[in-house]
Amino acid sequence: MEIFKKSKIYDFVGWSKWGLALSVLLTIGAFYLFFGVGFNLGIDFAGGSAAQIQYVGDAKSGVTNTQNMESNSQDSINSQPSLEQIRTLLSTNAIFTNAQVSNFGDEILIKIPYQEGVTNEQIENALHSTLDSSGHFEIRKLDSISAKVGDELARSAVISLILATIAMMIYVSFRYEWRFALASIITLVHDIIITAASVIVFKIDLNLEVIAALLALLGYSINDTIIIFDRIREKMLEGKKMSIEEVINEAISNTLPRTLLTSLTMFFAVLTLYIFGGHNIIGFSLPLLVGVVFGTYSSMFVAPKLAILLGFSIEKYYAKEVAKAKKVEERRRQRQLYEGGRV
């Protein structure tokens, strides 16, 4: 399937100066968000409890959820109190001090900070007694994680990201000339930083779903960059007398249909997950959606330009490849002489 004419060569290196400038600005903005605003730690890392409740009918009439849905689902929606009303009621109980209340699809999500000695049963009873006057509701889900477990999960998440990045560094260091390897790693870190910053921008709690999205992005982003770098290396090995800018422009232009098809396939798959997957996996789908966009853009407009800025010389590369080929040929000739009994 062709989207672009193969004979058309685009000036990606020329456009890369704008891409690099955008990346610098976004990275600076990301660090401001990290240190100026900070992440909103989810229950997985901060510890505490998360209760999902759903109002299923009018408390006065005692209408059940099933009956209400069969008769008039709109009445159930109207029976749900406002978030401010729920916050006001919760503030009267010490168990819910500093609790966060938000919409969670058709349900209400209540996040309760960790308190020593407070059990799930106590929280469940406190919810029923405290919110009894607000209407008839059901507790659909109640999860709790201790502060100690949260710290361990956070430590494990950081270690997993670091180890995955180191593994990528080792892989590309053996595969490419060191400037290209370093450029790919810088690009990879760039993608992770911007994607992590989007978690703050979209006010997503930092939890295990977000870490899973970042780990998935590590693999996707480095794969996209490697495809382009492989094509650049193939072009250089053809031996044509071309500048590094010409080689990069031709290599990216040739891989452009494949890059866009792969990226769009991934993008729409994650978009479908985001739209229809519900709020339970928004911490995974939305960061990954952002990461796919920036991973594709950085592979074309950031990584190759960084290799040039790091001082890659195509002339030295050609000379090194010629010397390597001579050594291989000399070993082959010596082997032939030995096998022929002339050595």
Side-chain angles (χ1 to χ4, degrees):
M1 180 177 179
E2 289 189 12
I3 301 179
F4 302 95
K5 294 181 179 179
K6 291 184 178 180
S7 58
K8 179 68 174 179
I9 305 300
Y10 300 93
D11 186 16
F12 285 96
V13 175
W15 300 335
S16 292
K17 61 182 179 182
W18 303 109
L20 204 58
L22 176 62
S23 291
V24 170
L25 290 175
L26 289 174
T27 303
I28 293 173
F31 279 111
Y32 167 76
L33 290 173
F34 293 158
F35 299 105
V37 179
F39 290 100
N40 183 28
L41 295 180
I43 298 299
D44 290 343
F45 297 148
S49 301
Q52 293 174 216
I53 66 174
Q54 184 174 42
Y55 285 83
V56 294
D58 192 346
K60 295 180 180 180
S61 62
V63 179
T64 64
N65 186 42
T66 303
Q67 294 171 334
N68 192 44
M69 289 173 60
E70 291 175 351
S71 60
N72 191 345
S73 60
Q74 188 64 35
D75 291 340
S76 178
I77 296 175
N78 294 336
S79 69
Q80 179 172 298
S82 67
L83 298 182
E84 191 58 39
Q85 288 176 300
I86 295 176
R87 292 190 185 102
T88 301
L89 290 172
L90 291 177
S91 65
T92 63
N93 193 319
I95 290 180
F96 304 114
T97 302
N98 297 323
Q100 299 177 6
V101 183
S102 61
N103 287 313
F104 193 79
D106 295 333
E107 301 175 354
I108 301 294
L109 177 64
I110 303 174
K111 295 181 180 179
I112 307 148
Y114 175 75
Q115 296 182 46
E116 188 70 32
V118 178
T119 64
N120 275 8
E121 184 179 355
Q122 289 176 311
I123 292 174
E124 186 173 348
N125 292 334
L127 281 172
H128 281 296
S129 61
T130 306
L131 299 179
D132 181 64
S133 61
S134 66
H136 182 65
F137 64 89
E138 294 179 355
I139 300 177
R140 295 301 182 91
K141 189 177 181 181
L142 179 58
D143 294 327
S144 295
I145 294 179
S146 69
K148 182 179 180 180
V149 173
D151 289 340
E152 292 176 355
L153 287 174
R155 192 180 305 110
S156 298
V158 172
I159 292 174
S160 65
L161 284 172
I162 292 175
L163 290 179
T165 304
I166 292 174
M168 297 296 181
M169 291 175 63
I170 294 173
Y171 169 71
V172 296
S173 297
F174 281 105
R175 188 176 179 89
Y176 298 106
E177 198 269 348
W178 72 268
R179 292 174 181 84
F180 276 89
L182 181 58
S184 65
I185 293 302
I186 294 175
T187 304
L188 185 64
V189 174
H190 155 275
D191 296 341
I192 296 299
I193 288 174
I194 293 179
T195 303
S198 72
V199 173
I200 302 176
V201 172
F202 293 110
K203 298 180 180 180
I204 300 173
D205 290 343
L206 183 61
N207 50 32
L208 291 177
E209 286 83 2
V210 173
I211 300 302
L214 295 179
L215 289 172
L217 179 61
L218 278 172
Y220 173 82
S221 181
I222 197 67
N223 178 70
D224 218 21
T225 303
I226 283 174
I227 293 296
I228 292 176
F229 279 3
D230 271 345
R231 189 58 178 165
I232 292 173
R233 185 172 59 179
E234 289 174 7
K235 285 292 179 183
M236 290 190 296
L237 292 177
E238 288 178 359
K240 297 179 181 179
K241 294 300 180 180
M242 302 169 64
S243 67
I244 185 60
E245 290 81 6
E246 292 173 329
V247 170
I248 290 174
N249 286 336
E250 186 172 338
I252 300 178
S253 297
N254 289 344
T255 58
L256 189 58
R258 178 263 172 209
T259 299
L260 290 183
L261 285 173
T262 302
S263 299
L264 287 174
T265 300
M266 181 73 170
F267 178 84
F268 286 119
V270 179
L271 181 63
T272 302
L273 194 65
Y274 170 68
I275 295 174
F276 300 105
H279 288 73
N280 286 330
I281 59 171
I282 195 172
F284 175 80
S285 58
L286 187 54
L288 191 55
L289 199 62
V290 174
V292 168
V293 174
F294 280 99
T296 303
Y297 134 81
S298 64
S299 297
M300 295 189 293
F301 297 105
V302 178
K305 185 67 174 180
L306 282 176
I308 297 176
L309 294 177
L310 289 171
F312 179 81
S313 171
I314 197 167
E315 290 79 12
K316 291 182 180 179
Y317 181 82
Y318 284 146
K320 187 184 297 184
E321 290 299 320
V322 169
K324 189 186 299 183
K326 286 182 178 179
K327 288 182 179 180
V328 172
E329 179 61 25
E330 179 63 22
R331 285 197 295 267
R332 188 188 66 81
R333 190 180 65 83
Q334 291 291 341
R335 189 181 300 110
Q336 286 180 340
L337 290 174
Y338 176 79
E339 291 174 351
R342 286 174 286 177
V343 176

